[in-house]
Amino acid sequence: ETLQRIVSTLVTKNDEIHNFIDMLNHTISNVQVNSSNAISELDEEFDGLYSVLHEMKGSMANTIQQEEARKIQALQDQLSQCSRALESSEELLELAVQSLDIKNPVELLEVENIEWIVTVASAFRLSLKPKVSDSMTHMMVDFALEKRMLQAVKFLPVPKAPEIDVAACLVADNCITISWRMPEEDSRIDHFVLEYRKTNFDGLPRLKGEQRWELVDYIKATQYTLSGLKFDTKYMNLRVQACNKAVAGEYSDPVTLETKAFVFSLDSTSSHLNLKVEDTYVEWDPTGGKGQEKIKGKENKNSNTASPKRSTNSPRASARGGRDRFAGESYTVLGDTAVESGQHYWEVRAQKDCKSYSVGVTYRNPGKFDQLGKTNSSWCIHINNWLQTTFSAKHNNKAKTLDIPVPDRIGVYCDFDGGQLSFYNANSKALLHTFRTKFTQPLLPGFMIWCGGLTVSTGLQVPSAVKTLQKSENGLGGSTSSLNNVA
């Protein structure tokens, strides 16, 4: 036995080492891929910077050219004005020189206003200073500061990996509240990313046989609640990463939280032939039994190999004990997983057209004609919507009328070790009825239906409200001694 334990431990350790080697190889591959991606992103950033500089250069060169055009235009306007003034001045000068040579008084009188004409000549009103300077120094740039800034450019600091506070994490009511903190204050953190995945392993994350990570992005706080989960695995891996405006940091060390809950499917292989059964849904089918018994008999006659689903080695087969289908008026289907210990909870919703149905539990091997609540090894509540609605609790062929409205959804709470079976309004968590007994055999969830359909919800934890009610239920009139089966 000791050697067997050592061998078993060594096999487990070898499996862990193989898993770790696969993870290391996967990490090496990721490093190569991520490095290539980082270089590509670096090229994109520098190309973007080059593009901005090229655009700025073009814009500033255009400004210089506009300034050049403005100055040249101003100087050309001034040049044209001076040319016109010079031409007029030369004409007046010629006239004035000619006037100086006139000796005849009569002719001189004809040009007696020559002095005024010369005095008001445009040449005397001209400014002989250029309107604009030829200097372009105001269009010079100095990128010394920018060069120093560019030379100081480094890789953006990557946010550190958050640290998950396992003690502050809470798993309840099919919700997971996860809390974390940063190892040191970082004002550049913009948001957090949470990833989670279901697993049946409580050790290190594995590459093979694991589900893909589900992602919740842009979390602003350091706490987040995942709600409405179906706990159909034993555990859940969670990890968090911090992100700033440009880059995401490394993920935190993953934590594994236990999310164990009671999970079962409906056992179609032994249900009544008038029931159409899926994993979590059963529907009345009035034509289901016609011709199927002959087909079933023919299949059994021609087949020398048992169906895998009927194999007595499977857990589901052992749960139902390899029994025959329900028959007669026992329109029943059972769950494929037995309750053998602990506290468990599941819910049932009936379609509006359901005429009659029962929800409860039974020991593993009921008779093929047995009906829920009509034997000393089964307990249920029964709803009859035929003609008028009746609501009752049944056990050992005795019934107690429940004078309360029938809820849309019924919650079933089974405390095997405590010998308690309670039914609740699944919406309000109000108690409908409680059976108290000592269970001596494993229990199977059971469902009877006539007309309509039932949907079963599994993978549910015992709700906190139900746990609270259990503490104060003693003294409530939910159960009747005539319906109890005390062994």
Side-chain angles (χ1 to χ4, degrees), residues 2-301:
T2 303
L3 180 59
Q4 182 62 43
R5 287 197 298 270
I6 294 173
V7 169
S8 177
T9 303
L10 183 59
V11 169
T12 302
K13 179 58 66 175
N14 286 348
D15 182 56
E16 291 178 353
I17 294 174
H18 279 298
N19 178 58
F20 187 61
I21 289 173
D22 289 341
M23 183 177 295
L24 290 177
N25 288 326
H26 187 67
T27 303
I28 291 172
S29 177
N30 283 345
V31 168
Q32 294 171 337
V33 172
N34 292 337
S35 297
S36 178
N37 292 338
I39 291 175
S40 297
E41 291 177 3
L42 183 66
D43 289 339
E44 290 180 5
E45 290 295 327
F46 271 91
D47 288 343
L49 182 59
Y50 298 150
S51 177
V52 170
L53 291 174
H54 183 72
E55 184 178 347
M56 289 179 61
K57 178 182 177 182
S59 176
M60 296 178 78
N62 185 53
T63 301
I64 293 174
Q65 291 171 349
Q66 290 177 353
E67 180 69 2
E68 175 191 14
R70 184 189 70 81
K71 285 193 171 188
I72 290 177
Q73 184 62 47
L75 291 172
Q76 286 180 340
D77 291 344
Q78 191 175 18
L79 181 61
S80 298
Q81 186 181 11
C82 289
S83 297
R84 290 193 299 272
L86 181 60
E87 182 180 354
S88 174
S89 178
E90 288 177 347
E91 293 177 353
L92 287 174
L93 181 60
E94 183 180 354
L95 178 61
V97 170
Q98 291 175 355
S99 298
L100 290 175
D101 293 337
I102 297 175
K103 303 299 183 181
N104 186 337
V106 176
E107 292 179 358
L108 187 61
L109 288 174
E110 293 179 357
V111 292
E112 61 182 349
N113 60 346
I114 186 65
E115 182 181 352
W116 178 82
I117 293 174
V118 173
T119 302
V120 298
S122 59
F124 292 109
R125 299 193 303 275
L126 281 176
S127 171
L128 299 182
K129 181 180 179 181
K131 288 184 176 181
V132 295
S133 168
D134 61 355
S135 173
M136 295 293 284
T137 54
H138 62 293
M139 291 294 179
M140 297 293 105
V141 294
D142 180 9
F143 285 144
L145 177 61
E146 286 75 8
K147 287 178 180 178
R148 287 195 296 271
M149 292 176 61
L150 287 174
Q151 290 169 349
V153 170
K154 298 179 180 178
F155 292 108
L156 186 68
V158 178
K160 295 184 179 297
E163 298 173 350
I164 296 178
D165 185 359
V166 179
C169 295
L170 178 64
V171 181
D173 299 316
N174 285 81
C175 298
I176 294 179
T177 298
I178 180 170
S179 299
W180 61 89
R181 56 179 174 266
M182 294 301 295
E184 58 187 47
E185 187 68 25
D186 188 347
S187 61
R188 289 168 293 191
I189 298 298
D190 178 69
H191 65 274
F192 297 92
V193 175
L194 168 65
E195 288 193 344
Y196 64 96
R197 66 181 176 187
K198 297 178 179 179
T199 178
N200 283 314
F201 306 106
D202 61 350
L204 293 172
R206 307 185 177 203
L207 293 179
K208 297 179 180 179
E210 292 284 12
Q211 299 185 25
R212 60 186 296 273
W213 290 100
E214 301 290 338
L215 183 144
V216 181
D217 205 350
Y218 296 104
I219 301 173
K220 294 295 184 178
T222 56
Q223 185 183 78
Y224 190 81
T225 298
L226 295 166
S227 58
L229 301 172
K230 182 177 181 180
F231 288 166
D232 50 4
T233 60
K234 294 181 180 179
Y235 305 96
M236 186 172 289
N237 296 140
L238 302 106
R239 63 184 187 182
V240 183
Q241 78 178 156
C243 306
N244 56 33
K245 289 292 185 179
V247 66
E250 293 292 329
Y251 278 100
S252 65
D253 291 333
V255 299
T256 301
L257 301 180
E258 186 174 9
T259 56
K260 189 176 181 181
F262 185 49
V263 181
F264 65 89
S265 297
L266 299 179
D267 180 11
S268 62
T269 63
S270 57
S271 68
H272 195 286
L273 289 173
N274 281 109
L275 299 182
K276 182 180 179 181
V277 179
E278 299 176 5
D279 284 346
T280 57
Y281 179 72
V282 55
E283 184 178 45
W284 164 262
D285 181 8
T287 65
K290 295 181 180 180
Q292 292 193 27
E293 288 289 354
K294 294 182 180 180
I295 295 173
K296 178 183 175 184
K298 186 176 180 180
E299 288 176 349
N300 291 338
K301 182 177 180 180

Side-chain angles (χ1 to χ4, degrees), residues 320-333:
R320 62 177 178 262
R323 54 176 175 73
D324 294 329
R325 285 184 179 272
F326 286 101
E329 295 185 357
S330 181
Y331 305 115
T332 304
V333 60

Side-chain angles (χ1 to χ4, degrees), residues 65 121-122 241 246 248-249 324 339 354 381 429 449 463-464:
Q65 291 171 349
S122 59
Q241 78 178 156
D324 294 329
V339 174
C354 230
I381 57 173
K429 299 301 184 290
I449 184 168
S464 299

Side-chain angles (χ1 to χ4, degrees), residues 306-342:
S307 168
K309 291 185 178 180
R310 303 284 291 182
S311 171
T312 56
N313 294 327
S314 70
R316 294 184 176 185
S318 62
R320 62 177 178 262
R323 54 176 175 73
D324 294 329
R325 285 184 179 272
F326 286 101
E329 295 185 357
S330 181
Y331 305 115
T332 304
V333 60
L334 303 180
D336 62 4
T337 304
V339 174
E340 301 185 39
S341 63

